[in-house]
Every structure is written in structure tokens, then in C-alpha cells.
Amino acid sequence: YHYGVFFCTQATYQLGGHYWENFFPRIVDVVLKNQRPEGSWEAERHSNDYKFGNTHTTAMMLLALGAPNQLLPVLQR
């Protein structure tokens, strides 16, 4: 799930227009509703991500939410 959010955010950002406008606000709502009180996101129990704990999933979500800031070279326009 977390990888999917991250890669879909990259894809829709690069496509821009209505793809971005329809995807990003919705995913922000979902992602923020699932954030834990201390600021992290819970690791997925059914995948290899679980062995890395919530550090990995939190990093994926922060990178996804930061797409509009264009901090990753792949997102720079």
C-alpha cells in the first residue's frame, strides 16, 4: 500500500493536470487519517516492510506527501 501511494503520487504529479488534481487531495485525506498520534504510519504486517517497522512506511508517506515541494529529482519540473 505505502509503495503504491508513493509511486502513484510520482506518476500523477508528472502527468499533472486533472490526474494530479483528482488524486493528490484525496490521497492526502486518506494518508493523514491513518497517521498515528506520534506522527508515524504503521508498518504493513503482511509484507516485507514489517521487518523495518514504521520507519519505512513513515518515510514512504513523507516522500509521497512532499511531492508538491519537488525535493526529489524525479519530481522536479
Side-chain angles (χ1 to χ4, degrees), residues 27-43:
I27 203 64
V28 167
D29 287 341
V30 171
V31 166
L32 293 181
K33 285 178 184 173
N34 289 295
Q35 188 177 20
R36 297 164 105 186
E38 86 283 352
S40 70
W41 283 267
E42 190 170 346

Side-chain angles (χ1 to χ4, degrees), residues 51-68:
K51 65 184 171 187
F52 300 111
N54 63 352
T55 303
H56 181 258
T57 52
T58 300
M60 289 284 97
M61 294 299 90
L62 291 175
L63 288 170
L65 292 173

Side-chain angles (χ1 to χ4, degrees), residues 3 12 16 26 39 41 43 68 73:
Y3 266 120
T12 56
R26 292 177 184 178
W41 283 267

